Each structure stands twice: as structure tokens, then as C-alpha cells.
Amino acid sequence: MSHPQTDSHTDSQIDPITFAVIKNAMDSIVDEVAYTVLRTARSEIVKDVMDYSAAICDRHGQMVAQAKTIALHLGAIPEAMAAVQARYGDRLSPGDAVIVNDPYEGGMHLPDIFMFVPFFYREELEGWCVVICHHTDVGGRVPGSNASDSTEIYQEGLRIPVMKLYEAGQVNETLERLIAQNVRVPDRVLGDLRAQYAACQVGVRELTGLFDRYQRAPARAYLAELLDYAERLTRAEIRNWPKGTFTFEDFIDDDGLSGEAIPIRVALTVHDDYVSVDYAGSSPQVRAAINSTRSYTQSCTYLSVRCALKGDVPNNAGVFRCVKIEVPEGTVLNPRQPAAVAARALTGYRVFDAMLGALAQVVPDRIPAAGEGGNTVVCLSGQHPDGKPYIIVDMICGAWGARPHADGIEAITNASQNLSNTPIETLEAQHPVRVEAYELEPDTCGAGRYRGGLGIRRSYRVLADNVLLQLRADRMKFQPYGLDGGLPAKAASNTLTRGETDESLPSKVGMQIALHDKVTHIQPGGGGFGNPLARPLAEIERDVWNHKLSAAFVREHYQAVVDPRTGRADAAATEALRRASAH
């Protein structure tokens, strides 16, 4: 099988044992690239939250391996790679490194800086190492460069078109100085960029060893087969899916500037051996910065389909060949310049939820109910007494929805993210903040035969004055949905405590807060799966005993009577309550 911009090969060239060895070698190499970033990065958002990703592409720019990092980044590589190839063509050399973050030139949002390092084998281009990192700050009107209330891209920070940061191993001092001059924490930003470059060099070193072992022509053939293999497996699965068009609609609460709900509509059509996805009917682009670039929308779509496939399908661009995507221009999923996009992750999470809602109609035994709706971003920034700025960018990850055969998982990253919650010790050691609560919140899940995971409560007491709070949350109006009779999860909430007074905050916030103020965010849990009345009493008892669910919650949603002191269910009283409710 051959494709445009691939290396043709015949089945006689492919030895299955060698293929398996090379496949695993590529996975190991790209993971080593990712581990190098983790070990050498400077900022918490990269080395602790792990908001970064790594991939290896073949000489045509097609992704052949991806690390166990942020999956939502990687489907955006094709557009960014196309921009790099269009800019430089064959005018690259060993030791070069190209960066880009411009959302309108293949990027996603300005804090995510792509780095592409070409891999040359004996002076001929054979592949690319790619690392994407979310940087703590890239300038703009607010610290963190990630505000949801910006109204145009020019407010959001430094836009970097496709440019060389390194040339023949030497840093471009002009570009580096320009970046340093425009960001609030240059030591962290430059440190993370150097970590990206070092990681890519590890990839180049390991790929050189692979090509030395197998030689150029066979190595090319096996990389092409990796893509074809993923495509064949994907098409084979889709052939067994029910044919037709499956629709789903989900909503973002609002954009923070108006109170209007933002619909995300998806029509998923299953053809003979591929799927097409159409987002017609989704919201027009909005004023605030939650617009999603086309590259990011495509990435979310690819990931959603990949999540519905079996686990043995390789994670590479061969899967992308089986997904055709239509995203109308001028919508919140494909905005026109100069739309703001800094907080576009929220919209991507809702695309993921909407896609899973459609896929649940196709493969209902594989798709969970909605999770917490994606991470919540809490940004606290100000100045230390010596005048140096500090920026906390904390991304709270919470809960999965209930699965078709098990409860949802708690205190875990959303399935689309692969992030980690920042350790409290890291936050408190380096910033003027005290975390006073980090715990599971009872009764936040959706009830069902299998219940969703519980949401997380996180509270921050600020230990400095004149702190800028930027908070981006959602799912206050539109709760995470349940499936197959499961109930939705409890809505999110934000609270500001000043002295003895609690003040409810909206989902998107940008405001100054003062010394000793406390900010509390409670995430939603995950939606439930299946009829709540089918849940065994023993499992309900266990949740009450463990203080995950209250006696009042199980009475309302499970029609079960449980003694909160002992965690024991009263079977007779439960049966009587259910009989009365049935009438």
C-alpha cells in the first residue's frame, strides 16, 4: 500500500519480527525524548504538571510515534509541520531547530511552542523530532498569557512565526533575546526551550543508531509500514461499526464576556472503512479567548476516534487517514484572525465530550460517560518583595465518567490530557500561597449502575497582596452527562472567601485579590452509566461508609436507605421506598 508523501514498500520487504522490534524501538525512543524534557525543564507546568508532548515524524513529516504525553497536542502536528516545510523546504541542516507558536500558522495557542528538529542521516533528511511545551508565560496583557477574557490575538503575547531558534547547533541570539525581553519569567521560558532542544537531540542520537543498525532503505520501509499498519487496523475496525450518521450536542457555559451558552455540534458519519466528522451548527467564533484553532479541533477529533479503537492500534498518523473532518470557518472551532484563542483548551475538551457522545451511539461498550469537563486553570500572579514576578499556573485534573463496566476513576487526568496535578509542596515552596484543601468532594458524581468519579476541591490562601486571579472553569450550567440511564454529575463551583464572607464567582474570572483571601474551586465529578436502581446495595453501602456519598444523596438518587453512622443499608426500608416511588 502506498500513499502520497510516503515511502512505498512491498510485503516481501517487511519481516514481522523486525517490524515489531522497530515499532517498539520507536516507542522507546520517543518516550526517552519525553523523559529528557521532564528531567531538564525549568518550569512547574512542564516538569510537574507535565503539559508537554513529544513525537517523531518520518522524512515527509508524518507522525510515526508519539510519547505518553499530552495526546491533544499531537494531532495538531500536521498543520504545524506543513508550515515548517512551506517556510524552509530543503533549506535545513543538521543542528537546526525550528519553532512556531502562531495559532494562525499551524500552532494552537501562544503558550504552546512547537519545536521541530530535523534528523539527518548521512546528510539526507530522514525524519523529525518534535517537542511541544506549554510555557509559563509568553508575554501579553496578563501573566501566564492564558486569559480567557482577551478579545484579540494581539493581546495574548508574543507570536512566533516559523523561525530557526538554532542553526547548525548555534542559538539564534537575536530571536532568543527577543523572546527573553517579552516574557515575565525569561529564565523559565528559555530554560524550557533549551530542554526541548536537548530532548530533540536525544531523539536524533537514537534515530541515528536505529538507521545504523537497519540502514536507510529498510528503515524507511518499516516507518512507512508503521503508518500503513495503523491505517489497516483502523479501517478494519470501522468496517464492523454500524453505518449511518450519529449526532450529539454539548455546551460550554459561556465565554465569560456574555452569558450565552456556546453549542458544540457534531455529526459523525460511519462509512465503509472511514469516518467523517462535520461540526456544522456549532457556535460562531466568540469575542473571548476560548476559540479553538482548526489544528486543535482536528487534534481533538483524531484523539476521540482513537479512544474508541482497540488498544493495539499504533498511535500515529495512519489513524488520521481514516478520519475526514469538516470545520466551518468563522466558528468557535475554526476562527478567523484576529480571534483570541489563549483558553482554547476548554473548547477542545468540549469537542472531546461531544465526540464521545456521538461515538457512544456507535460503540456503546467502549465509551464512558462525560468526565469533569477538562482541567480547571487557576492562575495566581504578582511580585515577590524583591520585585521579581511570580506566576502560578495550576491545572486541576479531576474525574472520569462511569465506564460501561466500572465506576469512574477519581483524582486522575481527563482522558484527553495526560496531565498531573501540581504537588502542593511545589506550589507552597516557590510561591506565596498556601493550599488549604486538596480532597475529593462527596456527592459530586453522577449516579448510575456505575457511578462517576468524584470531583476535586482545591483551596488556595494567598500570602501576598495585589494578586491577580485568573480562573478558567466550566460545567456550572451544563453538567457532565450520563449515559444509558446514568445521571449527570454535580455542577462546578468557585468561591472567594474574604474574612468570614463567601462570595460565589462565575466560571471565568479575572480580578485582583488581597492578602489572606481564599479561592476555592470544586470540580464536577463524572457522569453515571446505567440505571442507578441497578447498583447493588453493597456498593452503595461501601460509598457511604467511605464518605464518598451521603445518606441523603443515595436516598435521592438510588432510592436506598442507608444509616450514615454504620454505612449499613436497610433492605426493607429501601424496598418500600422504591415501591412508593414507582407509584
Side-chain angles (χ1 to χ4, degrees):
M1 181 182 295
S2 63
H3 299 273
Q5 291 296 299
T6 61
D7 294 295
S8 61
H9 60 277
T10 64
D11 291 341
S12 62
Q13 291 178 283
I14 302 302
D15 169 63
I17 295 176
T18 304
F19 173 75
V21 171
I22 289 179
K23 175 182 177 296
N24 289 322
M26 294 299 294
D27 290 339
S28 296
I29 292 170
V30 77
D31 280 342
E32 186 61 30
V33 172
Y35 293 141
T36 303
V37 176
L38 194 67
R39 290 191 293 263
T40 59
R42 292 291 302 276
S43 68
E44 295 102 351
I45 198 167
V46 176
K47 63 187 176 68
D48 293 307
V49 178
M50 297 190 289
D51 193 346
Y52 73 98
S53 57
I56 293 174
C57 299
D58 67 10
R59 67 196 187 105
H60 303 295
Q62 297 185 97
M63 187 177 71
V64 293
Q66 68 179 59
K68 300 174 183 69
T69 49
I70 302 281
L72 277 180
H73 285 171
L74 297 168
I77 285 178
E79 287 206 14
M81 178 65 79
V84 171
Q85 292 171 323
R87 173 72 176 85
Y88 285 107
D90 59 0
R91 295 180 294 109
L92 292 171
S93 303
D96 288 356
V98 179
I99 62 171
V100 61
N101 75 343
D102 187 351
Y104 296 103
E105 196 173 357
M108 295 181 289
H109 70 161
L110 298 182
D112 284 337
I113 299 180
F114 289 70
M115 181 177 287
F116 294 86
V117 171
F119 157 56
F120 287 85
Y121 185 71
R122 296 177 184 171
E123 300 184 353
E124 190 169 347
L125 179 68
E126 292 295 346
W128 302 79
C129 292
V130 186
V131 173
I132 307 164
C133 285
H134 181 126
H135 288 261
T136 304
D137 184 79
V138 288
R141 53 179 280 269
V142 295
S145 316
N146 204 25
S148 61
D149 60 348
S150 296
T151 56
E152 59 178 3
I153 188 70
Y154 307 109
Q155 299 172 334
E156 296 187 313
L158 183 65
R159 289 173 73 181
I160 306 171
V162 174
M163 297 183 71
K164 288 184 184 180
L165 181 61
Y166 288 84
E167 187 160 11
Q170 298 299 310
V171 69
N172 179 339
E173 292 185 0
T174 301
L175 178 55
E176 188 178 64
R177 288 182 62 201
L178 182 66
I179 293 170
Q181 195 74 6
N182 280 278
V183 303
R184 295 172 177 85
V185 283
D187 57 330
R188 296 193 173 201
V189 174
L190 296 184
D192 285 351
L193 282 170
R194 290 163 187 163
Q196 288 180 252
Y197 186 69
C200 287
Q201 294 308 309
V202 169
V204 168
R205 182 193 69 200
E206 297 302 319
L207 286 170
T208 300
L210 187 77
F211 271 66
D212 280 342
R213 179 173 181 179
Y214 293 101
Q215 299 305 302
R216 188 192 309 276
R220 286 181 179 179
Y222 281 105
L223 293 186
E225 175 61 14
L226 276 172
L227 296 168
D228 291 350
Y229 178 66
E231 179 184 5
R232 287 197 302 273
L233 291 181
T234 302
R235 292 191 188 279
E237 277 212 48
I238 292 172
R239 288 190 187 97
N240 294 322
W241 288 4
K243 305 301 182 277
T245 298
F246 305 86
T247 61
F248 197 84
E249 182 178 53
D250 207 344
F251 295 86
I252 298 169
D253 290 346
D254 53 58
D255 69 355
L257 298 180
S258 75
E260 296 180 9
I262 299 169
I264 306 295
R265 297 193 178 106
V266 58
L268 170 74
T269 301
V270 181
H271 303 273
D272 177 49
D273 65 352
Y274 72 96
V275 298
S276 59
V277 179
D278 192 341
Y279 289 102
S282 295
S283 168
Q285 66 188 68
V286 296
R287 286 184 60 227
I290 64 169
N291 299 290
S292 170
T293 59
R294 178 183 173 87
S295 64
Y296 191 63
T297 299
Q298 291 181 163
S299 188
C300 299
T301 307
Y302 293 139
L303 173 63
S304 306
V305 174
R306 176 63 189 87
C307 286
L309 301 173
K310 293 178 181 177
D312 56 359
V313 178
N315 298 315
N316 65 40
V319 176
F320 302 170
R321 297 171 179 171
C322 310
V323 184
K324 300 185 182 302
I325 305 170
E326 292 292 332
V327 192
E329 190 177 5
T331 64
V332 71
L333 304 180
N334 184 15
R336 298 185 179 94
Q337 294 196 57
V341 298
R344 60 81 178 94
L346 170 60
T347 304
Y349 301 142
R350 206 59 69 247
V351 168
F352 184 69
D353 288 340
M355 277 292 296
L356 291 190
L359 286 162
Q361 303 166 53
V362 180
V363 282
D365 60 328
R366 295 187 188 173
I367 305 299
E372 86 287 68
N375 66 33
T376 296
V377 179
V378 179
C379 184
L380 298 164
S381 58
Q383 290 186 335
H384 291 289
D386 62 3
K388 289 185 178 180
Y390 66 86
I391 305 172
I392 299 171
V393 183
D394 195 21
M395 298 185 176
I396 309 173
C397 307
W400 281 20
R403 295 162 287 174
H405 308 292
D407 289 348
I409 309 175
E410 293 152 347
I412 191 171
T413 181
N414 185 281
S416 65
Q417 294 167 329
N418 276 352
L419 291 176
S420 175
N421 287 332
T422 311
I424 291 171
E425 296 81 0
T426 299
L427 287 177
E428 294 182 342
Q430 302 184 32
H431 307 288
V433 66
R434 183 170 65 238
V435 178
E436 297 191 350
Y438 177 37
E439 57 200 14
L440 297 177
E441 182 72 8
D443 295 346
T444 46
C445 61
R449 165 59 188 90
Y450 300 103
R451 64 166 179 81
L454 297 181
I456 284 178
R457 171 193 289 264
R458 191 120 146 155
S459 293
Y460 310 79
R461 179 82 64 181
V462 297
L463 306 180
D465 209 355
N466 298 317
V467 175
L468 175 62
L469 166 68
Q470 299 169 66
L471 203 164
R472 190 221 71 205
D474 203 59
R475 291 295 196 190
M476 287 188 174
K477 301 174 185 175
F478 299 95
Q479 300 152 250
Y481 59 78
L483 289 175
D484 194 32
L487 300 181
K490 187 177 179 179
S493 68
N494 295 322
T495 305
L496 176 64
T497 302
R498 285 179 163 158
E500 301 299 320
T501 303
D502 290 338
E503 174 189 349
S504 294
L505 298 177
S507 59
K508 287 85 178 168
V509 180
M511 62 185 295
Q512 293 290 139
I513 58 176
L515 178 67
H516 301 316
D517 284 354
K518 183 175 75 171
V519 178
T520 300
H521 173 69
I522 301 177
Q523 280 195 313
F529 196 105
N531 183 355
L533 298 185
R535 188 170 179 86
L537 278 181
E539 295 181 17
I540 296 173
E541 287 178 327
R542 181 187 64 203
D543 284 337
V544 174
W545 175 252
N546 288 324
H547 301 286
K548 291 189 173 184
L549 301 180
S550 68
F553 181 95
V554 300
R555 184 181 184 90
E556 177 182 358
H557 298 291
Y558 288 104
Q559 297 177 24
V561 179
V562 179
D563 187 330
R565 296 167 300 174
T566 65
R568 297 290 185 183
D570 185 327
T574 296
E575 185 178 351
L577 176 62
R578 291 179 176 180
R579 279 202 307 268
S581 299
H583 297 307

